[in-house]
């Protein structure tokens, strides 16, 4: 049984992440979407909000789980008995950084395979940071994020946090 982890910041989860996750769930028996807890980088959304938004947004599929982790991704993979690390590859601009991560991870654990999945072309420009920027400037993100994330930002606006 192949277990795959799909690690990331998910700050917040976008339609591009959902696309990659759904593809992974068709390929692997079990997929764990794993939110990185990074003490050296302050995320926009608190960890609990990121996790709750993922839980509310992902398709209701038996083989998908949501989790969080600290430390090295390769060590988390070993703890989860995962053989595969999933990353989305949107465009050439992702390639260098993703290749670096895949190569360093390979030096740390030769048994873990990084597999890149390509989301639909309409999500090739999409990133969590762009979503945050547009939403925080009061723009509409309803076409690029799951409904719970859109609601989160709309509520955030109503609370007067956005000019
Ligand atoms: O969504 P992101 O921010 O592009 O995800 C990056 C992530 C979480 C996959 C990467 O930063 C990571 O694996 N961090 C954990 C620490 C680690 O293992 N570093 C060495 C490999 S990059």
């Amino acid at each position: 049984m192949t277990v795959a982890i799909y690690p990331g910041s998910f700050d917040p989860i976008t339609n591009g992440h959902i696309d990659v996750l759904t593809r992974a769930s068709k390929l692997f028996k079990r997929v764990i979407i794993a939110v990185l807890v990074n003490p050296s980088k302050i995320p926009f959304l608190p960890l609990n909000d990121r996790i709750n938004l993922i839980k509310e947004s992902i398709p209701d599929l038996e083989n998908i789980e949501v989790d969080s982790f600290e430390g090295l991704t390769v060590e988390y993979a070993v703890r989860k008995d995962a053989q595969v690390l999933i990353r989305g590859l949107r465009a050439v601009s992702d390639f260098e950084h993703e290749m670096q991560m895949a190569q360093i991870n390979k030096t740390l654990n030769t048994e873990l395979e990084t597999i890149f999945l390509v989301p639909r072309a309409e999500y090739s420009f999409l990133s969590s940071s762009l979503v945050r920027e547009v939403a925080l400037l009061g723009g509409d993100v309803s076409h690029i994020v799951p409904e719970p994330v859109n609601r989160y930002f709309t509520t955030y606006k109503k609370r007067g946090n956005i000019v």
Side-chain angles (χ1 to χ4, degrees), residues 2 31 38 75 93 120 123-124 140-142 150 158:
T2 308
V31 180
N38 185 351
E75 289 180 358
S93 49
R120 282 157 63 160
Y123 302 136
S124 58
D140 178 21
V141 290
S142 59
N150 185 44
K158 282 196 186 128

Side-chain angles (χ1 to χ4, degrees), residues 6-11 17 34-38 41 69-75 85-87 90 97-98 100-102 104-105 108 128:
Y6 179 28
S9 307
F10 304 104
D11 190 24
H17 294 128
V35 184
L36 174 69
V37 181
N38 185 351
K41 187 174 146 196
F69 73 104
E70 269 185 76
L72 288 174
T73 298
V74 291
E75 289 180 358
L85 190 169
I86 302 286
R87 292 290 289 170
R90 293 163 297 188
H97 181 57
E98 292 298 334
Q100 281 177 342
M101 285 203 288
I104 190 74
N105 283 336
L108 297 169
S128 297

Side-chain angles (χ1 to χ4, degrees), residues 7-114:
S9 307
F10 304 104
D11 190 24
I13 190 164
T14 69
N15 285 350
H17 294 128
I18 301 278
D19 185 286
V20 167
L21 182 66
T22 309
R23 284 166 201 284
S25 75
K26 291 179 191 156
L27 294 171
F28 303 104
K29 275 277 187 307
R30 196 171 149 222
V31 180
I32 306 168
I33 178 166
V35 184
L36 174 69
V37 181
N38 185 351
S40 62
K41 187 174 146 196
I42 299 170
F44 174 70
L45 274 74
L47 177 67
N48 276 349
D49 289 359
R50 283 183 283 155
I51 289 175
N52 288 336
L53 286 174
I54 292 171
K55 286 182 177 164
E56 289 168 30
S57 302
I58 59 177
D60 190 16
L61 292 168
E62 255 181 27
N63 66 338
I64 299 179
E65 290 164 39
V66 186
D67 194 14
S68 61
F69 73 104
E70 269 185 76
L72 288 174
T73 298
V74 291
E75 289 180 358
Y76 174 73
V78 169
R79 290 201 293 281
K80 290 292 174 183
D81 284 326
Q83 299 81 34
V84 167
L85 190 169
I86 302 286
R87 292 290 289 170
L89 201 59
R90 293 163 297 188
V92 176
S93 49
D94 281 342
F95 189 78
E96 195 173 341
H97 181 57
E98 292 298 334
M99 190 57 77
Q100 281 177 342
M101 285 203 288
Q103 293 292 12
I104 190 74
N105 283 336
K106 182 65 83 188
T107 67
L108 297 169
N109 181 349
T110 52
E111 298 303 308
L112 185 68
E113 294 299 342
T114 297

